[in-house]
Short mmCIF file of all heavy atoms in Angstrom, two decimals:
data_model
loop_
_atom_site.label_atom_id
_atom_site.label_comp_id
_atom_site.label_asym_id
_atom_site.label_seq_id
_atom_site.Cartn_x
_atom_site.Cartn_y
_atom_site.Cartn_z
N TYR A 1 -44.46 -45.03 -49.41
CA TYR A 1 -43.50 -44.11 -49.71
C TYR A 1 -43.52 -43.82 -51.19
O TYR A 1 -43.23 -42.68 -51.60
CB TYR A 1 -42.27 -44.55 -49.20
CG TYR A 1 -42.12 -44.51 -47.75
CD1 TYR A 1 -42.09 -45.71 -46.99
CD2 TYR A 1 -41.95 -43.32 -47.01
CE1 TYR A 1 -42.04 -45.73 -45.59
CE2 TYR A 1 -41.88 -43.29 -45.72
CZ TYR A 1 -41.96 -44.53 -44.88
OH TYR A 1 -41.83 -44.48 -43.62
N GLU A 2 -43.70 -44.80 -52.14
CA GLU A 2 -43.60 -44.54 -53.51
C GLU A 2 -44.76 -43.59 -53.99
O GLU A 2 -44.64 -42.59 -54.70
CB GLU A 2 -43.78 -45.82 -54.24
CG GLU A 2 -43.48 -45.56 -55.78
CD GLU A 2 -42.16 -45.01 -56.16
OE1 GLU A 2 -41.16 -45.28 -55.45
OE2 GLU A 2 -42.00 -44.31 -57.29
N ILE A 3 -46.08 -43.85 -53.37
CA ILE A 3 -47.11 -43.00 -53.82
C ILE A 3 -46.81 -41.55 -53.20
O ILE A 3 -47.09 -40.55 -53.94
CB ILE A 3 -48.47 -43.55 -53.10
CG1 ILE A 3 -48.75 -44.76 -53.87
CG2 ILE A 3 -49.60 -42.61 -53.18
CD1 ILE A 3 -49.91 -45.56 -53.23
N ALA A 4 -46.45 -41.49 -51.95
CA ALA A 4 -46.00 -40.21 -51.36
C ALA A 4 -44.96 -39.41 -52.10
O ALA A 4 -45.07 -38.35 -52.42
CB ALA A 4 -45.61 -40.29 -49.92
N TYR A 5 -44.06 -40.16 -52.57
CA TYR A 5 -42.94 -39.68 -53.28
C TYR A 5 -43.42 -38.90 -54.62
O TYR A 5 -43.16 -37.78 -54.98
CB TYR A 5 -41.83 -40.62 -53.71
CG TYR A 5 -40.76 -40.20 -54.70
CD1 TYR A 5 -39.70 -39.42 -54.19
CD2 TYR A 5 -40.93 -40.43 -55.96
CE1 TYR A 5 -38.71 -38.96 -55.17
CE2 TYR A 5 -39.97 -40.05 -56.93
CZ TYR A 5 -38.89 -39.23 -56.44
OH TYR A 5 -37.99 -38.75 -57.34
N LYS A 6 -44.28 -39.67 -55.43
CA LYS A 6 -44.73 -39.19 -56.66
C LYS A 6 -45.65 -37.94 -56.45
O LYS A 6 -45.55 -36.95 -57.23
CB LYS A 6 -45.54 -40.26 -57.38
CG LYS A 6 -44.78 -41.38 -58.04
CD LYS A 6 -45.68 -42.50 -58.61
CE LYS A 6 -44.73 -43.58 -59.16
NZ LYS A 6 -45.45 -44.70 -59.69
N ARG A 7 -46.54 -37.94 -55.43
CA ARG A 7 -47.34 -36.83 -55.27
C ARG A 7 -46.48 -35.61 -54.82
O ARG A 7 -46.81 -34.45 -55.18
CB ARG A 7 -48.42 -37.15 -54.26
CG ARG A 7 -49.34 -38.21 -54.71
CD ARG A 7 -49.84 -38.15 -56.13
NE ARG A 7 -50.98 -37.21 -56.18
CZ ARG A 7 -51.31 -36.59 -57.27
NH1 ARG A 7 -50.61 -36.79 -58.35
NH2 ARG A 7 -52.31 -35.69 -57.23
N LEU A 8 -45.52 -35.91 -53.82
CA LEU A 8 -44.78 -34.69 -53.43
C LEU A 8 -43.87 -34.23 -54.41
O LEU A 8 -43.74 -32.92 -54.60
CB LEU A 8 -43.96 -35.17 -52.14
CG LEU A 8 -44.73 -35.46 -50.91
CD1 LEU A 8 -43.89 -36.25 -49.90
CD2 LEU A 8 -45.17 -34.19 -50.17
N LYS A 9 -43.30 -35.05 -55.33
CA LYS A 9 -42.51 -34.52 -56.29
C LYS A 9 -43.25 -33.66 -57.39
O LYS A 9 -42.83 -32.63 -57.78
CB LYS A 9 -41.88 -35.87 -57.14
CG LYS A 9 -41.05 -35.42 -58.19
CD LYS A 9 -39.52 -35.32 -57.59
CE LYS A 9 -38.60 -35.37 -58.81
NZ LYS A 9 -37.24 -35.31 -58.35
N HIS A 10 -44.50 -34.13 -57.57
CA HIS A 10 -45.40 -33.38 -58.44
C HIS A 10 -45.56 -31.85 -57.97
O HIS A 10 -45.36 -30.86 -58.63
CB HIS A 10 -46.71 -34.08 -58.54
CG HIS A 10 -47.73 -33.19 -59.32
ND1 HIS A 10 -47.75 -32.98 -60.64
CD2 HIS A 10 -48.78 -32.50 -58.83
CE1 HIS A 10 -48.78 -32.22 -61.06
NE2 HIS A 10 -49.43 -31.89 -60.00
N ILE A 11 -46.00 -31.77 -56.63
CA ILE A 11 -46.21 -30.43 -56.21
C ILE A 11 -44.99 -29.62 -55.94
O ILE A 11 -45.02 -28.41 -56.20
CB ILE A 11 -47.00 -30.47 -54.85
CG1 ILE A 11 -46.36 -31.08 -53.68
CG2 ILE A 11 -48.46 -30.99 -55.13
CD1 ILE A 11 -47.11 -31.04 -52.30
N TYR A 12 -43.87 -30.24 -55.65
CA TYR A 12 -42.66 -29.59 -55.59
C TYR A 12 -42.16 -28.98 -56.82
O TYR A 12 -41.68 -27.85 -57.01
CB TYR A 12 -41.49 -30.52 -54.97
CG TYR A 12 -40.21 -29.73 -54.72
CD1 TYR A 12 -40.17 -28.92 -53.61
CD2 TYR A 12 -39.16 -29.88 -55.48
CE1 TYR A 12 -38.97 -28.17 -53.40
CE2 TYR A 12 -37.94 -29.30 -55.37
CZ TYR A 12 -37.87 -28.36 -54.23
OH TYR A 12 -36.77 -27.78 -53.93
N THR A 13 -42.35 -29.72 -57.95
CA THR A 13 -41.85 -29.33 -59.35
C THR A 13 -42.88 -28.31 -59.86
O THR A 13 -42.60 -27.65 -60.86
CB THR A 13 -41.76 -30.47 -60.34
OG1 THR A 13 -42.95 -31.19 -60.40
CG2 THR A 13 -40.62 -31.33 -59.84
N HIS A 14 -44.10 -28.16 -59.28
CA HIS A 14 -45.04 -27.23 -59.64
C HIS A 14 -45.20 -26.00 -58.74
O HIS A 14 -46.13 -25.37 -58.53
CB HIS A 14 -46.44 -27.83 -59.84
CG HIS A 14 -46.60 -28.51 -61.10
ND1 HIS A 14 -46.21 -29.89 -61.28
CD2 HIS A 14 -47.15 -28.24 -62.37
CE1 HIS A 14 -46.42 -30.31 -62.51
NE2 HIS A 14 -47.04 -29.35 -63.17
N GLY A 15 -44.00 -25.74 -58.15
CA GLY A 15 -43.96 -24.42 -57.37
C GLY A 15 -44.24 -24.53 -55.92
O GLY A 15 -44.15 -23.43 -55.31
N PHE A 16 -44.54 -25.66 -55.41
CA PHE A 16 -44.82 -25.68 -53.88
C PHE A 16 -43.40 -26.01 -53.28
O PHE A 16 -43.25 -27.09 -52.90
CB PHE A 16 -45.83 -26.78 -53.59
CG PHE A 16 -46.52 -26.52 -52.22
CD1 PHE A 16 -46.28 -25.56 -51.40
CD2 PHE A 16 -47.57 -27.48 -51.90
CE1 PHE A 16 -46.97 -25.32 -50.12
CE2 PHE A 16 -48.28 -27.31 -50.69
CZ PHE A 16 -47.88 -26.22 -49.80
N ASP A 17 -42.54 -25.07 -53.23
CA ASP A 17 -41.15 -25.35 -52.94
C ASP A 17 -40.71 -24.86 -51.67
O ASP A 17 -39.50 -24.64 -51.34
CB ASP A 17 -40.24 -24.82 -54.05
CG ASP A 17 -40.50 -23.36 -54.30
OD1 ASP A 17 -41.33 -22.59 -53.65
OD2 ASP A 17 -39.86 -22.82 -55.26
N HIS A 18 -41.53 -24.63 -50.69
CA HIS A 18 -41.19 -24.34 -49.31
C HIS A 18 -40.34 -25.56 -48.88
O HIS A 18 -40.46 -26.69 -49.14
CB HIS A 18 -42.34 -24.20 -48.37
CG HIS A 18 -42.02 -23.76 -46.92
ND1 HIS A 18 -41.77 -24.76 -45.96
CD2 HIS A 18 -41.96 -22.58 -46.48
CE1 HIS A 18 -41.49 -23.99 -44.82
NE2 HIS A 18 -41.57 -22.76 -45.15
N TRP A 19 -39.28 -25.27 -47.99
CA TRP A 19 -38.27 -26.25 -47.61
C TRP A 19 -38.87 -27.44 -46.92
O TRP A 19 -38.40 -28.57 -46.96
CB TRP A 19 -37.08 -25.58 -46.80
CG TRP A 19 -37.52 -25.12 -45.43
CD1 TRP A 19 -37.58 -23.85 -45.08
CD2 TRP A 19 -37.72 -25.86 -44.22
NE1 TRP A 19 -37.93 -23.72 -43.68
CE2 TRP A 19 -37.93 -24.93 -43.18
CE3 TRP A 19 -37.73 -27.29 -43.94
CZ2 TRP A 19 -38.29 -25.32 -41.87
CZ3 TRP A 19 -37.97 -27.62 -42.63
CH2 TRP A 19 -38.23 -26.71 -41.63
N ARG A 20 -39.99 -27.32 -46.16
CA ARG A 20 -40.70 -28.56 -45.58
C ARG A 20 -41.21 -29.35 -46.53
O ARG A 20 -41.16 -30.63 -46.31
CB ARG A 20 -41.70 -27.94 -44.58
CG ARG A 20 -42.98 -27.60 -45.19
CD ARG A 20 -44.09 -27.19 -44.19
NE ARG A 20 -45.39 -27.03 -44.67
CZ ARG A 20 -45.88 -26.24 -45.68
NH1 ARG A 20 -44.99 -25.31 -46.23
NH2 ARG A 20 -47.11 -26.31 -46.06
N ILE A 21 -41.58 -29.01 -47.85
CA ILE A 21 -42.00 -29.93 -48.81
C ILE A 21 -40.86 -30.68 -49.21
O ILE A 21 -40.89 -31.90 -49.57
CB ILE A 21 -42.64 -29.18 -49.99
CG1 ILE A 21 -43.78 -28.22 -49.47
CG2 ILE A 21 -43.21 -30.13 -50.96
CD1 ILE A 21 -44.93 -28.88 -48.76
N LYS A 22 -39.65 -30.11 -49.41
CA LYS A 22 -38.35 -30.78 -49.82
C LYS A 22 -38.09 -31.90 -48.84
O LYS A 22 -37.58 -32.92 -49.05
CB LYS A 22 -37.26 -29.72 -49.98
CG LYS A 22 -36.02 -30.42 -50.75
CD LYS A 22 -34.92 -29.41 -50.71
CE LYS A 22 -35.17 -28.28 -51.73
NZ LYS A 22 -33.96 -27.37 -51.84
N PHE A 23 -38.34 -31.35 -47.41
CA PHE A 23 -37.97 -32.25 -46.41
C PHE A 23 -38.89 -33.57 -46.46
O PHE A 23 -38.47 -34.67 -46.41
CB PHE A 23 -38.20 -31.62 -45.06
CG PHE A 23 -38.09 -32.51 -43.84
CD1 PHE A 23 -36.92 -33.15 -43.55
CD2 PHE A 23 -39.26 -32.64 -43.00
CE1 PHE A 23 -36.80 -33.99 -42.43
CE2 PHE A 23 -39.07 -33.45 -41.95
CZ PHE A 23 -37.99 -34.16 -41.59
N TYR A 24 -40.14 -33.33 -46.67
CA TYR A 24 -41.14 -34.54 -46.84
C TYR A 24 -40.69 -35.34 -48.03
O TYR A 24 -40.77 -36.58 -48.00
CB TYR A 24 -42.58 -33.97 -47.00
CG TYR A 24 -43.20 -33.28 -45.80
CD1 TYR A 24 -44.02 -32.14 -45.98
CD2 TYR A 24 -42.82 -33.56 -44.43
CE1 TYR A 24 -44.66 -31.42 -44.96
CE2 TYR A 24 -43.32 -32.80 -43.47
CZ TYR A 24 -44.29 -31.76 -43.61
OH TYR A 24 -44.78 -31.14 -42.62
N LEU A 25 -40.34 -34.52 -49.08
CA LEU A 25 -40.00 -35.38 -50.41
C LEU A 25 -38.72 -36.17 -50.05
O LEU A 25 -38.75 -37.40 -50.52
CB LEU A 25 -39.71 -34.40 -51.50
CG LEU A 25 -39.25 -35.02 -52.81
CD1 LEU A 25 -40.33 -35.91 -53.41
CD2 LEU A 25 -38.96 -33.80 -53.84
N ALA A 26 -37.78 -35.66 -49.28
CA ALA A 26 -36.51 -36.43 -48.89
C ALA A 26 -36.94 -37.72 -48.15
O ALA A 26 -36.36 -38.78 -48.42
CB ALA A 26 -35.62 -35.55 -48.21
N GLN A 27 -37.85 -37.54 -47.20
CA GLN A 27 -38.26 -38.68 -46.39
C GLN A 27 -38.95 -39.71 -47.34
O GLN A 27 -38.66 -40.94 -47.20
CB GLN A 27 -39.21 -38.21 -45.34
CG GLN A 27 -38.72 -37.49 -44.15
CD GLN A 27 -39.74 -37.11 -43.09
OE1 GLN A 27 -40.85 -36.56 -43.50
NE2 GLN A 27 -39.46 -37.42 -41.90
N ALA A 28 -39.78 -39.30 -48.26
CA ALA A 28 -40.54 -40.20 -49.12
C ALA A 28 -39.40 -40.84 -50.13
O ALA A 28 -39.53 -42.09 -50.36
CB ALA A 28 -41.54 -39.50 -49.92
N ALA A 29 -38.44 -40.18 -50.46
CA ALA A 29 -37.32 -40.68 -51.35
C ALA A 29 -36.65 -41.79 -50.63
O ALA A 29 -36.46 -42.92 -51.13
CB ALA A 29 -36.49 -39.63 -51.86
N TYR A 30 -36.24 -41.60 -49.37
CA TYR A 30 -35.48 -42.58 -48.59
C TYR A 30 -36.45 -43.83 -48.40
O TYR A 30 -36.04 -44.87 -48.63
CB TYR A 30 -35.20 -42.07 -47.15
CG TYR A 30 -33.95 -41.31 -47.12
CD1 TYR A 30 -33.76 -39.92 -47.14
CD2 TYR A 30 -32.64 -42.01 -47.15
CE1 TYR A 30 -32.69 -39.25 -47.00
CE2 TYR A 30 -31.49 -41.27 -47.10
CZ TYR A 30 -31.49 -39.95 -46.95
OH TYR A 30 -30.21 -39.22 -47.00
N GLY A 31 -37.68 -43.50 -48.07
CA GLY A 31 -38.58 -44.70 -47.75
C GLY A 31 -38.90 -45.50 -48.98
O GLY A 31 -39.09 -46.71 -48.86
N SER A 32 -38.79 -45.00 -50.21
CA SER A 32 -39.02 -45.64 -51.41
C SER A 32 -37.86 -46.22 -52.03
O SER A 32 -37.81 -46.72 -53.17
CB SER A 32 -39.95 -44.81 -52.45
OG SER A 32 -39.07 -43.69 -52.75
N GLY A 33 -36.73 -46.07 -51.29
CA GLY A 33 -35.55 -46.68 -51.81
C GLY A 33 -34.60 -45.76 -52.77
O GLY A 33 -33.62 -46.17 -53.33
N LYS A 34 -35.04 -44.53 -52.89
CA LYS A 34 -34.25 -43.66 -53.65
C LYS A 34 -33.28 -42.85 -52.78
O LYS A 34 -33.33 -41.69 -52.54
CB LYS A 34 -35.24 -42.60 -54.40
CG LYS A 34 -36.17 -43.21 -55.25
CD LYS A 34 -37.18 -42.26 -55.70
CE LYS A 34 -38.30 -42.91 -56.69
NZ LYS A 34 -38.92 -44.12 -56.07
N ILE A 35 -32.30 -43.64 -52.36
CA ILE A 35 -31.29 -43.20 -51.32
C ILE A 35 -30.52 -41.97 -51.73
O ILE A 35 -30.40 -41.01 -51.06
CB ILE A 35 -30.43 -44.31 -50.88
CG1 ILE A 35 -31.21 -45.50 -50.35
CG2 ILE A 35 -29.46 -43.90 -49.73
CD1 ILE A 35 -32.28 -45.30 -49.20
N LYS A 36 -30.05 -42.11 -53.02
CA LYS A 36 -29.12 -41.04 -53.53
C LYS A 36 -29.93 -39.74 -53.67
O LYS A 36 -29.41 -38.62 -53.29
CB LYS A 36 -28.54 -41.36 -54.91
CG LYS A 36 -27.44 -42.39 -54.67
CD LYS A 36 -26.72 -42.61 -55.99
CE LYS A 36 -25.58 -43.65 -55.78
NZ LYS A 36 -24.89 -44.07 -57.04
N GLU A 37 -31.24 -39.90 -54.11
CA GLU A 37 -32.06 -38.60 -54.20
C GLU A 37 -32.38 -38.06 -52.88
O GLU A 37 -32.29 -36.79 -52.70
CB GLU A 37 -33.32 -38.86 -55.06
CG GLU A 37 -34.16 -37.69 -55.21
CD GLU A 37 -35.40 -37.81 -56.18
OE1 GLU A 37 -35.47 -38.88 -56.69
OE2 GLU A 37 -36.15 -36.77 -56.15
N GLY A 38 -32.75 -38.92 -51.89
CA GLY A 38 -33.01 -38.47 -50.57
C GLY A 38 -31.85 -37.66 -49.91
O GLY A 38 -31.93 -36.75 -49.30
N GLU A 39 -30.49 -38.30 -50.13
CA GLU A 39 -29.32 -37.65 -49.63
C GLU A 39 -29.12 -36.33 -50.35
O GLU A 39 -28.71 -35.37 -49.57
CB GLU A 39 -28.11 -38.62 -49.81
CG GLU A 39 -28.10 -39.85 -48.92
CD GLU A 39 -26.95 -40.79 -49.25
OE1 GLU A 39 -26.36 -40.68 -50.38
OE2 GLU A 39 -26.82 -41.80 -48.51
N SER A 40 -29.29 -36.32 -51.59
CA SER A 40 -29.20 -35.07 -52.29
C SER A 40 -30.08 -33.92 -51.75
O SER A 40 -29.65 -32.79 -51.54
CB SER A 40 -29.36 -35.24 -53.76
OG SER A 40 -29.25 -33.98 -54.47
N LEU A 41 -31.32 -34.34 -51.61
CA LEU A 41 -32.36 -33.37 -51.06
C LEU A 41 -31.91 -32.87 -49.64
O LEU A 41 -32.05 -31.72 -49.33
CB LEU A 41 -33.67 -33.97 -51.11
CG LEU A 41 -34.31 -34.20 -52.46
CD1 LEU A 41 -35.57 -35.15 -52.30
CD2 LEU A 41 -34.81 -32.79 -53.04
N MET A 42 -31.51 -33.81 -48.83
CA MET A 42 -31.08 -33.53 -47.38
C MET A 42 -29.92 -32.51 -47.44
O MET A 42 -29.75 -31.59 -46.71
CB MET A 42 -30.80 -34.73 -46.63
CG MET A 42 -32.10 -35.55 -46.40
SD MET A 42 -33.39 -34.70 -45.66
CE MET A 42 -32.86 -34.77 -43.91
N ARG A 43 -29.00 -32.76 -48.46
CA ARG A 43 -27.80 -31.92 -48.49
C ARG A 43 -28.25 -30.50 -48.92
O ARG A 43 -27.76 -29.52 -48.33
CB ARG A 43 -26.79 -32.37 -49.48
CG ARG A 43 -25.56 -33.29 -48.92
CD ARG A 43 -24.48 -33.55 -49.82
NE ARG A 43 -24.98 -34.24 -51.15
CZ ARG A 43 -25.21 -35.54 -51.19
NH1 ARG A 43 -25.06 -36.30 -50.07
NH2 ARG A 43 -25.55 -36.15 -52.29
#
């Protein structure tokens, strides 16, 4: 999840901002222990 989080965060911040990318990023955040960020993204 940490690897996935870093890669997804990179493409999301570089303009690949379709909501499904945010959804995948939220999953990776939860999986890597970034619960607050995952909750924020889901909200």
Side-chain angles (χ1 to χ4, degrees):
Y1 291 104
E2 186 62 32
I3 292 170
Y5 171 82
K6 287 177 181 175
R7 301 312 282 156
L8 289 165
K9 184 86 168 184
H10 172 76
I11 60 174
Y12 186 74
T13 57
H14 280 83
F16 203 0
D17 55 3
H18 185 269
W19 65 257
R20 80 188 193 288
I21 307 302
K22 190 185 290 186
F23 173 63
Y24 297 146
L25 180 58
Q27 288 181 308
Y30 274 105
S32 61
K34 297 169 182 61
I35 306 302
K36 287 185 179 180
E37 184 173 354
E39 288 174 350
S40 174
L41 288 164
M42 293 304 279
R43 266 193 302 280

